[in-house]
Amino acid sequence: MKIIKLPLSDSAYQKALDLAAATAIPVEAYLLTEIQDMLDKRTYTPTTSKHSAENSPSLLPPGPNFRATMPDTLEQVLAVSEYVYKDKVVPVSEMYAGNLFRQAVLVVSEKRGINATTVRDKFNERRLGLPDVNLNLDVIISWFCKPEMLRDHLCRKFPNCVSTIQERFAKFLPGRFDDANDLN
């Protein structure tokens, strides 16, 4: 990992502080996740020929997309979860859940045209951690066997996306999450 210093305008820093506070994580961790999500979206293949550069309308990849949707981390975690629960059944063993997880990472990465490591990277302490939760891949895989715990953790981590998370889990496992108040 590399450490860099990044100047921010006062308004950008205040917005980052507000958003980090809403997710109950330090501003540094919040900014790190946002920057990594933005960079994961980018694809750039430098050209070696000046001629091809002149014919290309733009060598630079598109700028960041500031759409008002869920972060890439959450999108990919939910896509993997959807695959794990593809048969509308909760895995009964952590070993089976781990196998489904590994398959899901490959399927999701292929569908999105990204590396499997990019998807797998979304399932770590840095991306999904909270200050009061000791998180690692084994814990997350165990949560696939206890979808309420996974869903509740995602709701705490991404409070601006609670309704989307609840809707998706209700779709993954119909009948299990019919009570909208079971999170409270």
Side-chain angles (χ1 to χ4, degrees):
M1 180 181 293
K2 303 292 183 204
I3 305 293
I4 64 169
K5 289 185 179 185
L6 182 67
L8 290 176
S9 68
D10 290 341
S11 62
Y13 183 75
Q14 186 58 49
K15 184 168 188 168
L17 277 175
D18 295 342
L19 292 168
T23 58
I25 60 173
V27 68
E28 297 84 0
Y30 176 80
L31 285 170
L32 176 65
T33 301
E34 288 295 313
I35 290 170
Q36 287 174 332
D37 281 349
M38 180 198 62
L39 292 173
D40 285 346
K41 290 180 192 176
R42 291 197 163 215
T43 56
Y44 175 67
T45 308
T47 58
T48 56
S49 164
K50 182 179 178 185
H51 183 306
S52 63
E54 292 170 355
N55 293 335
S56 173
S58 173
L59 284 179
L60 297 176
N65 182 356
F66 294 108
R67 66 193 196 285
T69 61
M70 72 179 91
D72 281 349
T73 295
L74 180 57
E75 283 184 39
Q76 292 176 29
V77 168
L78 289 174
V80 167
S81 300
E82 181 175 17
Y83 183 88
V84 168
Y85 302 125
K86 69 183 187 287
D87 295 326
K88 312 280 188 232
V89 175
V90 176
V92 293
S93 77
E94 290 179 22
M95 181 181 284
Y96 182 56
N99 288 337
L100 287 172
F101 170 78
R102 285 184 284 285
Q103 291 171 11
V105 166
L106 295 174
V107 168
V108 169
S109 67
E110 187 175 307
K111 282 183 180 178
R112 293 174 182 261
I114 56 180
N115 290 327
T117 54
T118 300
V119 176
R120 193 175 301 109
D121 181 57
K122 302 303 189 271
F123 292 86
N124 65 34
E125 177 79 28
R126 181 172 39 86
R127 298 291 188 130
L128 293 180
L130 290 169
D132 61 339
V133 179
N134 186 11
L135 190 70
N136 60 46
L137 188 54
D138 291 335
V139 171
I140 294 168
I141 288 174
S142 74
W143 286 350
F144 282 121
C145 298
K146 304 168 191 157
E148 294 84 2
M149 292 185 73
L150 177 59
R151 185 215 43 198
D152 293 355
H153 180 80
L154 292 175
C155 287
R156 284 185 61 213
K157 176 66 179 176
F158 302 100
N160 295 338
C161 300
V162 167
S163 61
T164 301
I165 294 165
Q166 289 176 335
E167 288 169 13
R168 295 281 294 274
F169 272 83
K171 180 182 166 193
F172 301 158
L173 300 166
R176 188 166 184 134
F177 295 107
D178 289 340
D179 182 7
N181 297 321
D182 67 349
L183 181 63
N184 300 328

